[in-house]
Amino acid sequence: MSELDTERADLLAALDRHRGFLLFTALRLTDDQARLTSTVSELHIGGIIKHVAATERGWVAFMTGADMAEAAGDWWQGHHMGPDETLEGIIDDYQRCAAETEAAVRALPSLDEAHPLPDAPWFEPGTTWTARRTLLHILAETAQHAGHADIIREAIDGQKTMG
């Protein structure tokens, strides 16, 4: 295996591990439980998983030179589990997203390929990110939201991902 293939495999394996932590928070929940806002936050597990999938799609689009905003979809809807949505459907979509991300990362000619960040107040003007930096950002977002979901799940029924 080449050094580049090893790096991709390592990054994708780390991302997959944090996806597992996130999905563990949804284990054996009902749709109603997945919509619960069990803390002072408006976040709920179904909405977090939807958000992580939408955000990941947006960043993969950025990484591959596609339209980031179009790929990510509507911000509000991307954070909320609608009354007609099921947790099973949201998880299925997230798993499709994971497969799409892996295929996109493996197809990149180089992790050094860079694109300018979109104009936004939270990005320094003129900044570019490599595919590697973007993938690390996806990993960090997933890990952060897995932690959010773990706190929410613990408040619902005491289940914790670790400990």
Side-chain angles (χ1 to χ4, degrees), residues 126-162:
T127 301
T128 61
W129 278 7
T130 63
R132 178 182 298 100
R133 173 68 183 92
T134 305
L135 190 54
L136 287 168
H137 181 72
I138 293 169
L139 198 155
E141 281 257 335
T142 303
Q144 180 177 7
H145 289 308
H148 292 150
D150 199 39
I151 291 166
I152 293 166
R153 178 60 188 260
E154 187 175 0
I156 292 171
D157 64 4
Q159 178 180 297
K160 297 183 271 187
T161 302
M162 294 182 193

Side-chain angles (χ1 to χ4, degrees), residues 74-135:
D74 179 84
W75 186 89
W76 191 91
Q77 287 208 340
H79 281 77
H80 295 85
M81 185 174 167
D84 59 334
E85 292 180 294
T86 65
L87 181 58
E88 180 181 12
I90 288 171
I91 289 172
D92 288 346
D93 181 62
Y94 184 47
Q95 290 171 330
R96 277 191 303 277
C97 175
E100 293 162 6
T101 297
E102 181 167 342
V105 168
R106 293 195 182 280
L108 288 169
S110 168
L111 294 179
D112 293 325
E113 190 170 318
H115 300 284
L117 288 170
D119 291 332
W122 47 87
F123 296 134
E124 187 175 328
T127 301
T128 61
W129 278 7
T130 63
R132 178 182 298 100
R133 173 68 183 92
T134 305
L135 190 54

Side-chain angles (χ1 to χ4, degrees), residues 3-78:
E3 196 173 311
L4 178 61
D5 290 339
T6 301
E7 181 181 18
R8 288 176 207 239
D10 286 349
L11 290 168
L12 289 169
L15 179 56
D16 192 53
R17 180 169 171 79
H18 288 285
R19 283 188 184 117
F21 293 147
L22 176 58
L23 290 174
F24 188 82
T25 68
L27 192 64
R28 293 185 295 279
L29 285 182
T30 66
D31 291 341
D32 288 339
Q33 288 173 314
R35 286 185 190 88
L36 281 176
T37 54
S38 60
T39 67
V40 295
S41 169
E42 289 184 36
L43 296 174
H44 54 280
I45 291 174
I48 289 174
I49 295 170
K50 263 183 83 171
H51 166 68
V52 171
T55 301
E56 184 170 320
R57 282 192 171 106
W59 282 112
V60 169
F62 166 80
M63 185 170 46
T64 60
D67 185 337
M68 185 179 187
E70 183 179 321
D74 179 84
W75 186 89
W76 191 91
Q77 287 208 340

